[in-house]
Amino acid sequence: MFISFVEALRRGGIAASLKEHLLLLEALDAGVTELEPEQFYYLARAVFVHDESQLDRFDRIFGEVFKGVLAGLEDGTAAIPEEWLKAVAELYLTPEQMAEIQALGSWDEIMETLKKRLEEQQGKHQGGSKWIGTGGTSPFGHSGFNPAGVRIGGPGRHGRAIKVWEKREFADLDSTREIGTRNIKVALRRLRRFAREGAADELDLDATVAGTARQGWLDVHMRPERHNAVKLLLFLDIGGSMDGHVRVCEELFSAARTEFKHLEHFYFHNCIYEGVWKENRRRFTDRTPTWDVLHKFGHDHKLVIVGDAAMSPYEVTHAGGSVEHMNEEPGAVWLKRLTDTYPSAAWLNPVPEAYWGHSHSTQIIRQLMNQRMYPLTLGGLDEAMRELSRKK
């Protein structure tokens, strides 16, 4: 009954064999998991996925084949009636009209006002300037305009929300993506320090020839494989405004996985806080405390953060400023801890450098990184690798 699923996996580049298909059926017959869609997903993933880089492809294929099966298993986080958030029409304003609309106030004032609106509001509102609704100039809702508000439901349009009230799902970057040019790999190769460590499993031809000539018989010498000894800690911004930069980030990720044997990667959204994650599908339930990262990986690691740095300034400067959760400490505190722990650090920004001055948050983060922000271009990569190669 799952033949179409197996065929879809093969078309998607996952080597699904008949043996694995039979193993899946045997596991189902033996009742190793409960007969629930989510449990079946984990069982199938354990059977067919043999490399973590295939997880994203497996998720996409599973979603296409079993479309709708897992829908509704997870509830959204906003307990606001859906009818309130249905936009009948979107609000379109001229630049002059936008300039006339004032922000509600500071971070604390906006959040306190939202709390009062939730207590007072009894029904749907559209086109207004006060209540939670759609198509107006209220700081709360969607499909309208406000220079600093809380987006509740619906897609973002202007990128000005200081907080987002919804549960968003992001996909992992595919580390097996074939890049269109080798130039990124060439740029990364500037950050190399070769060493021979581990088991002696490679023939040392020069030593063998010299030893044989000296001894008069075949004197075989082995040596450890030569590899890049640089240790890289890679943090990747995912989702939101980074969606438009997925391709170049996948190319960078793919190249880094090839060039660095000692590579650890983590995902974050907008700014790094107290928790990061390895797999985007489980980012709400399987996070790695940032303190654990700081304690586990030594000072000799090179730190590279990839992100557009475009967000509400509150996300960097204020506790509770994250668009997705109530962070106890500002993002600036965690960035300082990271750069203090890893002196060799660089931030790669996929947004053209000419636009950095238009984003307040970008300027703040650039200052926190001691100006070590570089554009995600070949020239920028070259500069970043030179910076990371300097002795600290």
Side-chain angles (χ1 to χ4, degrees), residues 268-276 287-291 311-312 314-316 318 321-323 325 327-332 334 338:
F268 68 96
H269 181 57
N270 282 357
C271 194
I272 299 172
Y273 299 108
E274 68 279 0
V276 291
R287 294 200 174 204
T288 301
T290 309
W291 274 122
M311 65 197 84
S312 164
Y314 296 123
E315 297 191 59
V316 186
H318 281 60
S322 167
V323 295
H325 75 292
N327 51 299
E328 295 183 358
E329 295 180 296
W334 288 104
L338 283 165

Side-chain angles (χ1 to χ4, degrees), residues 110-129:
I110 292 173
M111 300 311 294
E112 183 63 30
T113 303
L114 174 58
K115 181 180 178 182
K116 292 180 181 178
R117 295 287 189 273
L118 289 170
E119 293 173 350
E120 299 171 358
Q121 186 167 341
Q122 301 298 320
K124 175 181 179 180
H125 287 267
Q126 184 197 354
S129 59

Side-chain angles (χ1 to χ4, degrees), residues 185-194 228-232 259-260 302-304 344 381-382 384-390:
K185 290 184 179 182
V186 172
L188 292 177
R189 285 174 185 170
R190 184 178 294 279
L191 186 61
R192 292 191 295 185
R193 187 179 68 249
F194 286 113
N228 190 354
V230 169
K231 301 174 182 178
L232 185 65
E259 293 299 319
F260 298 100
K302 310 289 187 181
L303 172 66
V304 175
S344 294
L381 271 174
D382 190 65
M385 295 307 105
R386 288 177 185 273
E387 169 62 31
L388 294 174
S389 299
R390 293 194 182 101

Side-chain angles (χ1 to χ4, degrees), residues 297-310:
F297 302 105
H299 302 283
D300 57 339
H301 280 70
K302 310 289 187 181
L303 172 66
V304 175
I305 304 174
V306 182
D308 61 5

